[in-house]
Amino acid sequence: MPAADRVAAARDRLEGVRSWLERHGLSLAALGTTAVLAVMLYLPVGVVFVEAVLEEGRPTLAHFAEVLTDPFYFGALADVFADPLAVGDHLASLAGWLGAISVAPTLAYPIPGLDLPVPWLALDAPPVRKGLFGFTAYQAALSTVASVAIGLPAAYVLANYEFYGRRTLRSLTILPFVLPGILVAVGFYSMFGRTGTLNSLLGAVGLGPFAFVETSPLAIVILAHAFYNAPLVARLTVAAWESVDARTVETARSLGASRRRAFRDVVVPQLLPAVLTGALLTFIFTFMTFPIVLALGGLRLATVEVWIYDRVQRLAYGEAATLAVLETMLSLGLTYAYLRYESAQAGFSRAPSPTPKEPLFPDLRTALSPRRLAVLGYGLVALVLFVGPMASLLVGSVTDGAGFTLDHYAFLLERQLEGASFQTLPLPAIRNSLLFGLATLAVAVPMGVVISVLTVRAGRSGRIVDALAMLPLAVSGVVFGIGLLQGLVFGLSLPGGWRLQLTGSVAIVAAHAVAAYPFVTRNVSPLLANLDPAMVESARALGASRTRALLDVELPLVRSGIVAGAAFAFAISIGEFSSTVILASGSESYTMPVAVERYLGRRSGPAIAMGSLLLLVTAASFVVIDRVGGGERA
Amino acid sequence: MKRRTVVGAVAGGATLGVAGCLTRDGNGDGNSNEGDGTLTVVTYPSMIDEENAAGPWLKEAFESEHPDAELEWKQLPDQRINHYIGQADGGGEIDADVYLGLNVDDLVAVDDNLADGGLFRELETDRLDRADRIRDGLDLGDPHGRALPYDTGYISLVYDESEVDEPQTFEDLTEPAYEDALLAQNAQTSDPGQAFLLWTIDAFGEDGYLDYWRELDENGVRILDDWSESYYGAYMEEERPMVVSYSTDQVFASAEGNDLTRHQIAFLNGQGYANPEGMGIFEDAGDVDLAYDFFDFVLSNEAQAEIAQRNVQFPAVDEEYVDLDEEFDKYAHVPPEAVTVGYDRLRGNLDGWVEDWAREFASQ
């Protein structure tokens, strides 16, 4: 066979492989996704959850009965669970409670430390025992409201105005996400504490000092939750806002709608799924919050997750698993309800042509308009809440009891240069974090997109699959960690004398990807559902394979969602602690948050310096990711 | 989960890029530390990673004393003793010879969850030259004799003398003078938190401790998560003037250049709660002789001084067997009387005590 023919044959073969791959690309990706999920999610979680229904190896529902009827966990509801058929008694006690509510006018002093009476209606209701689950849901609901309230104005400003540093600021909104809990706690105390930065500033204008943390621990905890989650709401909403088709607004305006009316009827429906997604994720996250509640609020504010952690520490896996199953059922139930709503929002969007951004402060007159002043006021709030704690950390890394010092960084440098192999070194931690982050991107983005594509148009069954795909968010981190330990680190015995074990870097990346892909899915699904199905159908009719249509038609149109999801995936990976520390134990695959934890001994300086490095490295990577991903069309 | 299986080979995840493995039972290379002159010692991070940690010094000194031996440090896994209980329970193989940093409650947890006297060997103290140097009252009280103390800390109160007077007794803390003054830690999640709880159980008994805590609660005690958060977050930001901490607090404070008025030590009832730390040898350790050599070395004069000063704890041996720096003596305070709740009282009780206490405080 002449050489030219051989080359041609080889080319044909390659072409054949390529077209086969293209035809089956989606199925292959789905298979890969399923495999990762089976080993890294369903196996570890299953290993623990099964403990909830086993007693000495026999199936039982005793654990559930015990937890559901325990007033400590379910407060007033426990009686109902204990005796669900005694409807008359339950109604009587409810009526008795309703009858005891009284409303009376009174004077309240809402501002701590100021004798400023405000007329107020005092609602006097007899206390209801909320139980641990009730309180957890209560603080999660408050945190959700706060996060949405603080996150939406940020999304509004970032999506509609142009100002110097906007893109960088947008990249940095993710930072709170990656901070280990201990650093957030220390940052919050040094910002809002009695001798904190805020009190120094207020003191300069003759106010205070106020004991913010001391007098209202719940408020501080909710603020800390908003610190973590408002950026999440903001980022999700900005991505949706920028994919709004400006022409739809123009059409509405030309048909005589006022600006406000056009916004309400055209823009809001396109933003609502994103806002509600943010609210849902925030609720789920703050429902499973730990250790930040204890660190700032104390044991009074303990949540279900605190108890799960304690049960796991005491090796009471049955009770821990039961609590975790109940927690998960609640989260998945909420997710399913939300997805039913989301899929009802069928879209018709063809191609986003983003609204042009106005300059924020074009001239002095505009700068003094009420709207711009409100933006400025919000900026101040954001400065105190977001920049404050992080700046306090950076300051803390260069000070000690005696004032300015570079000792903490000197320690890191010295450790890097002279540290022994069994010690934790800063550079490998940074390198591992970045590598795991990139690898997580490479795995989680395709996984998330595949799940979106498979579920968006699949009707009711798709919604159930989609809700189940949110499992990583709904599973307690403590339980997931224990499952990884028992299922993968210790190894599982398989039939035939085989043993499955999985640790080290690959396992860490897989665990991060499992934790991160739901963010990709939640960022991409709403946009994908909004696309006009006719576009894909035309492409298919013209002979494109499903994969080709996805790559050439759909994905470019939902690019902003993919980039937003990718940013989250990277952030989740950088900030992940609980599974990483389990999978990295005894090896050199430690990451930055793990290093922070290990440097935190009886002196906090080195840990805070490491935490500052974590902040700086993450900030730099995000600016790069957003630039490379072209987070928006210029 | 409880089914014991034949030990399979463990391809350790110690190198980057180990993806995991499927192995057949029985073709493993057995224990990787079988008397080859390497002693693998597992210990908590601050023994290794702190500034001036004792770990690197111990390794160097031990290896120069035993030229053909090698000491290999391993970070204690995040789950601490539970990691090894789980591993032993699941039939996995423990890849360490010695555990440096055992507490009494670790041993209690082992015996509550595995076979009595499991996981660690009973120590033959006659194989040690220096076992008799250990101070009285530091014994971990293990009926199976599995651990030898190498240092101890004392839990006490740390207070700011410019804000409150020194509290003398537990009852003082319930007085109006100390309203909203005390920071403690959650006994579920924190070692000093649990130690302080046990101290109140020692003082008021099993039946009285919850009443005492209710009084503390009425007086506004604040229970935070962990020692680091309570100390670096709340206490150092002057949220409150008193915190449950260690009696060696001034050693750190003076090193950090802090003013010592905020670092005064109070021993309630003239006591401090002793938290002795022990070392034990795992049941299937490879090189037991070398482990005993290491224990003898740890109890030597110089090692005791270095561990105490670098770990900022107190030596486990009598004063005549250790020479401490004057600086350390000046700032590290020893309580007039040391109390501790021993193995026998903890056994079968500890979890219940902590849970009753926590349910009392958690959100209702």
Side-chain angles (χ1 to χ4, degrees):
Chain A
M1 200 193 305
D5 285 359
R6 272 210 303 277
V7 170
R11 208 175 38 230
D12 284 349
R13 260 204 310 279
L14 263 180
E15 190 55 40
V17 169
R18 215 181 60 87
S19 72
W20 185 89
L21 271 180
E22 191 179 286
R23 271 200 312 282
H24 299 87
L26 205 55
S27 328
L28 287 175
L31 268 178
T33 301
T34 314
V36 173
L37 288 182
V39 175
M40 292 307 299
L41 177 63
Y42 298 120
L43 176 87
V45 171
V47 163
V48 182
F49 275 16
V50 77
E51 302 262 358
V53 291
L54 286 183
E55 180 77 73
E56 307 291 331
R58 279 192 305 279
T60 173
L61 284 177
H63 292 305
F64 281 98
E66 226 164 275
V67 167
L68 286 170
T69 56
D70 186 342
F72 173 76
Y73 287 127
F74 280 95
L77 276 182
D79 298 342
V80 181
F81 290 135
D83 197 0
L85 298 177
V87 179
D89 295 352
H90 301 319
L91 286 178
S93 56
L94 179 65
W97 181 78
L98 285 172
I101 295 179
S102 64
V103 179
T106 169
L107 288 179
Y109 299 91
I111 303 167
L114 276 190
D115 278 346
L116 183 76
V118 173
W120 202 261
L121 279 184
L123 183 73
D124 188 29
V128 175
R129 189 165 175 189
K130 289 198 275 290
L132 199 60
F133 274 85
F135 174 78
T136 306
Y138 169 71
Q139 62 82 26
L142 291 178
S143 303
T144 305
V145 170
S147 302
V148 171
I150 293 170
L152 283 187
Y156 164 75
V157 173
L158 287 171
N160 292 291
Y161 293 108
E162 188 53 73
F163 50 93
Y164 181 75
R166 184 183 64 87
R167 291 177 61 177
T168 308
L169 185 67
R170 203 191 133 156
S171 310
L172 297 188
T173 49
I174 200 96
L175 277 188
F177 233 69
V178 303
L179 272 182
I182 167 77
L183 293 180
V184 174
V186 170
F188 259 68
Y189 276 114
S190 58
M191 184 67 201
F192 297 102
R194 205 184 289 264
T195 54
T197 318
L198 186 56
N199 270 322
S200 317
L201 292 173
L202 291 172
V205 293
L207 295 170
F210 303 114
F212 297 106
V213 189
E214 194 55 50
T215 47
S216 39
L218 182 59
I220 284 287
V221 166
I222 286 166
L223 272 188
H225 286 162
F227 173 84
Y228 269 119
N229 294 295
L232 169 94
V233 175
R235 283 183 87 94
L236 282 162
T237 313
V238 167
W241 214 316
E242 285 176 346
S243 68
V244 166
D245 191 343
R247 286 166 308 184
T248 51
V249 182
E250 284 155 21
T251 310
R253 292 298 310 272
S254 68
L255 292 172
S258 65
R259 266 182 80 153
R260 184 162 305 185
R261 178 77 199 260
F263 177 76
R264 205 180 60 208
D265 292 353
V266 178
V267 180
V268 169
Q270 298 188 62
L271 297 188
L272 211 51
V275 177
L276 288 173
T277 298
L280 173 82
L281 293 179
T282 302
F283 185 87
I284 291 176
F285 277 150
T286 50
F287 193 89
M288 301 202 292
T289 180
F290 171 76
I292 203 78
V293 212
L294 286 183
L296 290 167
L299 190 55
R300 280 259 162 259
L301 307 186
T303 54
V304 177
E305 195 73 3
V306 174
W307 243 253
I308 293 179
Y309 179 82
D310 178 62
R311 299 292 81 195
V312 163
Q313 287 298 57
R314 314 263 156 201
L315 300 174
Y317 290 133
E319 199 174 345
T322 307
L323 294 174
V325 168
L326 290 169
E327 207 179 42
T328 304
M329 279 162 56
L330 189 113
S331 308
L332 289 184
L334 274 176
T335 308
Y336 179 73
Y338 163 76
L339 290 171
R340 289 200 53 173
Y341 152 82
E342 187 183 83
S343 64
Q345 313 289 311
F348 43 81
S349 134
R350 287 172 184 281
S353 59
T355 320
K357 294 184 170 57
E358 298 176 48
L360 191 57
F361 299 119
D363 52 59
L364 191 64
R365 223 179 113 210
T366 326
L368 292 175
S369 67
R371 189 177 291 232
R372 298 294 200 272
L373 288 178
V375 168
L376 266 185
Y378 174 78
L380 279 181
V381 171
L383 214 57
V384 168
L385 177 60
F386 296 104
V387 181
M390 291 196 265
S392 302
L393 273 186
L394 295 177
V395 170
S397 72
V398 290
T399 46
D400 65 2
F404 179 83
T405 176
L406 284 176
D407 281 358
H408 309 318
Y409 288 101
F411 163 83
L412 293 182
L413 190 66
E414 192 182 335
R415 173 57 55 88
Q416 182 56 45
L417 297 175
E418 295 168 16
S421 61
F422 54 82
Q423 293 182 310
T424 306
L425 313 180
L427 275 188
I430 294 172
R431 189 195 60 216
N432 287 339
S433 273
L434 292 175
L435 282 178
F436 293 157
L438 289 173
T440 302
L441 273 188
V443 182
V445 171
M447 276 173 81
V449 169
V450 164
I451 289 172
S452 287
V453 171
L454 295 180
T455 54
V456 154
R457 305 210 198 286
R460 182 176 293 262
S461 64
R463 278 201 299 276
I464 292 174
V465 174
D466 206 0
L468 285 179
M470 294 299 116
L471 187 67
L473 300 179
V475 173
S476 138
V478 177
V479 164
F480 186 55
I482 287 297
L484 287 173
L485 191 68
Q486 294 181 339
L488 297 177
V489 178
F490 294 163
L492 274 189
S493 304
L494 302 174
W498 291 88
R499 212 176 160 78
L500 168 77
Q501 278 190 308
L502 192 64
T503 52
S505 318
V506 173
I508 291 175
V509 170
H512 287 187
V514 161
Y517 80 82
F519 284 87
V520 181
T521 302
R522 290 274 57 86
N523 268 292
V524 172
S525 281
L527 303 184
L528 214 48
N530 257 335
L531 287 185
D532 190 342
M535 282 192 285
V536 178
E537 283 155 21
S538 329
R540 296 296 309 268
L542 293 170
S545 65
R546 182 70 190 85
T547 314
R548 178 58 49 203
L550 175 73
L551 293 176
D552 287 355
V553 179
E554 290 173 289
L555 292 190
L557 293 177
V558 297
R559 183 180 154 158
S560 64
I562 294 178
V563 174
F568 276 125
F570 191 79
I572 295 270
S573 169
I574 295 263
E576 213 289 328
F577 176 77
S578 56
S579 353
T580 312
V581 80
I582 284 174
L583 293 169
S585 75
S587 78
E588 271 118 54
S589 357
Y590 48 83
T591 58
M592 290 190 279
V594 175
V596 167
E597 197 74 17
R598 286 185 184 169
Y599 289 151
L600 189 78
R602 297 278 299 273
R603 302 174 72 160
S604 60
I608 290 180
M610 190 69 220
S612 303
L613 279 190
L614 164 71
L615 269 182
L616 297 173
V617 169
T618 313
S621 354
F622 269 98
V623 172
V624 171
I625 284 191
D626 271 0
R627 289 289 148 96
V628 171
E632 52 196 310
R633 287 137 208 267
Chain B
M1 282 309 300
K2 302 269 180 203
R3 201 160 48 91
R4 270 191 171 274
T5 49
V6 187
V7 172
V10 179
T15 48
L16 273 180
V18 170
C21 53
L22 276 168
T23 47
R24 287 302 297 266
D25 285 342
N27 60 358
D29 53 357
N31 196 331
S32 54
N33 37 33
E34 205 73 68
D36 54 359
T38 302
L39 188 71
T40 308
V41 184
V42 65
T43 188
Y44 44 84
S46 62
M47 181 70 86
I48 299 175
D49 269 329
E50 282 245 289
E51 217 166 343
N52 302 322
W57 182 90
L58 284 170
K59 176 176 160 74
E60 204 171 314
F62 179 68
E63 287 173 0
S64 69
E65 221 174 87
H66 300 78
D68 41 11
E70 192 192 339
L71 174 69
E72 189 185 85
W73 287 115
K74 254 182 90 80
Q75 288 260 7
L76 185 63
D78 202 42
Q79 309 291 318
R80 302 198 289 186
I81 196 72
N82 288 347
H83 183 97
Y84 296 110
I85 291 174
Q87 218 162 10
D89 206 28
E93 183 176 310
I94 290 170
D95 50 359
D97 303 315
V98 168
Y99 186 143
L100 193 73
L102 273 175
N103 295 323
V104 177
D105 38 313
D106 291 337
L107 295 168
V108 170
V110 168
D111 295 356
D112 280 347
N113 293 288
L114 296 170
D116 238 15
L119 204 57
F120 298 101
R121 289 164 176 264
E122 180 158 1
L123 296 176
E124 301 158 42
T125 42
D126 54 350
R127 289 173 73 172
L128 291 167
D129 301 336
R130 300 177 177 134
D132 52 353
R133 296 182 173 194
I134 293 172
R135 276 188 288 157
D136 293 339
L138 276 195
D139 188 16
L140 292 158
D142 178 19
H144 308 285
R146 285 165 294 178
L148 212 59
Y150 62 88
D151 74 6
T152 184
Y154 298 103
I155 301 296
S156 67
L157 291 187
V158 170
Y159 68 100
D160 185 333
E161 64 185 354
S162 69
E163 292 192 50
V164 289
D165 293 336
E166 179 176 357
Q168 302 292 334
T169 63
F170 278 106
E171 285 78 9
D172 283 355
L173 300 181
T174 61
E175 299 292 328
Y178 296 99
E179 194 179 347
D180 293 347
L182 180 63
L183 286 163
Q185 298 86 17
N186 183 4
Q188 294 172 303
T189 47
S190 147
D191 285 343
Q194 182 180 290
F196 188 63
L197 174 64
L198 291 174
W199 192 4
T200 62
I201 290 174
D202 184 73
F204 297 94
E206 273 181 73
D207 304 323
Y209 82 103
L210 282 178
D211 289 335
Y212 173 70
W213 275 95
R214 280 181 203 118
E215 286 178 45
L216 275 185
D217 189 30
E218 277 161 30
N219 214 23
V221 64
R222 187 84 175 267
I223 299 161
L224 295 175
D225 181 26
D226 223 21
W227 181 84
S228 353
E229 276 112 346
S230 64
Y231 191 87
Y232 290 119
Y235 187 69
M236 291 314 283
E237 291 296 337
E238 302 188 18
E239 285 295 306
R240 289 183 163 216
M242 279 197 304
V243 63
V244 172
S245 186
Y246 299 89
S247 71
T248 47
D249 185 70
Q250 291 187 356
V251 179
F252 284 100
S254 62
E256 294 270 314
N258 291 327
D259 180 355
L260 291 188
T261 44
R262 198 166 178 77
H263 298 276
Q264 295 301 306
I265 307 296
F267 292 118
L268 298 173
N269 297 1
Q271 301 170 337
Y273 189 90
N275 246 353
E277 296 187 291
M279 45 197 175
I281 306 176
F282 283 104
E283 259 170 355
D284 44 12
D287 205 332
V288 180
D289 286 342
L290 194 56
Y292 279 110
D293 288 346
F294 177 67
F295 283 11
D296 250 338
F297 161 76
V298 166
L299 294 174
S300 69
N301 196 319
E302 201 184 358
Q304 278 292 298
E306 290 289 341
I307 291 176
Q309 280 151 201
R310 288 165 182 269
N311 231 6
V312 197
Q313 300 267 16
F314 295 93
V317 295
D318 275 321
E319 264 173 54
E320 61 200 274
Y321 298 113
V322 59
D323 314 308
L324 296 168
D325 288 354
E326 270 177 40
E327 186 85 346
F328 183 88
D329 267 342
K330 177 178 158 194
Y331 289 124
H333 299 277
V334 183
E337 183 196 352
V339 295
T340 191
V341 177
Y343 175 95
D344 288 331
R345 284 178 69 194
L346 291 178
R347 185 74 206 275
N349 290 326
L350 177 63
D351 290 0
W353 287 341
V354 173
E355 179 162 26
D356 292 347
W357 172 88
R359 281 185 169 226
E360 190 72 33
F361 274 86
S363 48
Q364 294 302 309

